[in-house]
Amino acid sequence: MIPPNPDDTRLLPPTPEGLAEAARQLAAGALVAFPTETVYGLGGDARSDLACARIFEAKGRPRFNPLIVHVADLAAARRIARFDDRAERLAGAFWPGPLTLVLPLAEGAGLSPLVTAGLPTVAVRVPEHPVARALLAVFGGPLAAPSANPSGRVSPTRAAHVMAGLAGRIAAVVDGGDCAVGVESTILGLDGPARLLRPGGLPAEALEAALGQPLASGDNGGGDAARPSAPGQLASHYAPGAAVRLEATEAGKDEIWLGFGPQAAGAALNLSPAGDLVEAAANLFHYLREADALAGNGGRIAVSPVPERGLGRAINDRLRRAAAPRG
């Protein structure tokens, strides 16, 4: 097998010319990474079996793990998913934005079956990032777009992160700068009782306020950690090369301390010296990468406790999966 050549992946500017080239590549079945407000997504035509198969191949992603479909607006989402009153209310309140809804697949949706991993549901969202929205408009169709990184590894929040992991495996990266939110979208299952399938960039408390009821936690019966019904549910995920230890109040031998808050003043890196969960979420994946580089071979990353509220739920979800035993 010929190894990938990093020079085969182009870095495109978010200009009309760059977006036109990205759309041309996508229309030809190639893969293009692009920024969203959460993380960079690895885009492929969600209607194309070939493009979707290439996503799984480029990432080394198991094919039983479904993909999120990104669309330009609510009208486009209604063409691929069946919306009830709850879904309409949440889409009206939080789209465009970091919310993914898992809904029954619409008849005649026209999506590749690889997108849904054979499930009767589809994960869909309308991103807020202006570059993502411009690309969707120019492309004119739905894009399947998981995070643009090798499967199970730290998600990318900068174009350089994408190039480090996927250069030579994809056609292009549209460089739209740093991602503001920094953790993936919140995933809410609405094919039954409302269930939080993955905490993310939209706090669960905001969803509960909009629905007027608490959310159930966990899966909806359609999957589990071995065969998920939504992305981001695999037990080991978002992992750096170094092993991760949680609830650390200081660094042990051969450990790099990734701190949080003023009490971690001695940490090598601090997600937020002020204890701001929004800042911590934005820094999480980039700092995990930096800590991994500092740890080197045989080192470990020790991570301070993060409050389990608001965006802290998403941060802790990512950290627990990063620290999980690896297969």
Side-chain angles (χ1 to χ4, degrees):
M1 179 178 176
I2 299 174
N5 181 358
D7 293 336
D8 291 342
T9 299
R10 297 179 60 188
L11 196 62
L12 299 174
T15 60
E17 295 77 15
L19 294 173
E21 174 59 19
R24 187 187 72 77
Q25 294 283 355
L26 289 165
L31 304 183
V32 175
F34 61 94
T36 76
E37 68 276 16
T38 57
V39 300
Y40 273 73
L42 180 57
D45 188 340
R47 302 161 297 191
S48 165
D49 290 340
L50 177 61
C52 292
R54 284 173 170 164
I55 289 174
F56 288 100
E57 179 184 32
K59 284 178 61 69
R61 182 185 179 99
R63 292 202 181 188
F64 56 73
N65 198 0
L67 304 174
I68 294 176
V69 179
H70 293 64
V71 294
D73 52 36
L74 178 55
R78 291 191 188 111
R79 289 194 285 272
I80 63 173
R82 300 204 310 270
F83 280 69
D84 61 14
D85 289 343
R86 299 171 302 168
E88 292 282 352
R89 190 183 331 149
L90 293 172
F94 300 113
W95 278 359
L99 172 64
T100 294
L101 298 177
V102 175
L103 301 168
L105 187 65
E107 186 174 351
L111 300 178
S112 167
L114 293 173
V115 167
T116 60
L119 297 169
T121 54
V122 62
V124 61
R125 88 172 179 109
V126 178
E128 185 177 19
H129 196 291
V131 174
R133 294 179 63 76
L135 178 60
L136 285 162
V138 174
F139 177 63
L143 290 176
S147 57
N149 57 284
S151 186
R153 293 302 182 181
V154 182
S155 299
T157 55
R158 302 179 180 183
H161 297 163
V162 182
M163 294 294 282
L166 295 178
R169 299 182 180 275
I170 64 177
V173 181
V174 180
D175 187 353
D178 294 0
C179 299
V181 175
V183 292
E184 291 86 351
S185 61
T186 301
I187 301 182
L188 187 69
L190 289 178
D191 53 326
R195 290 182 178 268
L196 183 66
L197 299 180
R198 179 180 75 184
L202 181 66
E205 293 89 338
L207 293 169
E208 291 176 333
L211 288 171
Q213 64 182 63
L215 300 176
S217 296
D219 210 282
N220 62 356
D224 54 37
R227 186 177 177 83
S229 64
Q233 294 181 313
L234 295 176
S236 177
H237 207 46
Y238 315 109
V244 176
R245 179 172 70 90
L246 304 181
E247 304 296 322
T249 56
E250 61 183 2
K253 186 178 185 217
D254 297 325
E255 287 187 330
I256 297 299
W257 186 14
L258 178 56
F260 173 81
Q263 66 274 19
L269 297 164
N270 196 316
L271 292 170
S272 173
D276 184 329
L277 290 170
V278 174
E279 181 183 23
N283 286 333
L284 176 62
F285 288 139
H286 183 64
Y287 280 18
L288 272 176
R289 289 171 182 271
E290 288 198 2
D292 195 26
L294 290 171
N297 292 332
R300 293 164 54 93
I301 302 170
V303 186
S304 289
V306 176
E308 189 76 16
R309 66 172 189 275
L311 286 178
R313 291 182 71 176
I315 294 168
N316 284 321
D317 172 78
R318 305 313 189 267
L319 289 172
R320 283 190 289 268
R321 294 178 194 274
R326 303 171 193 180

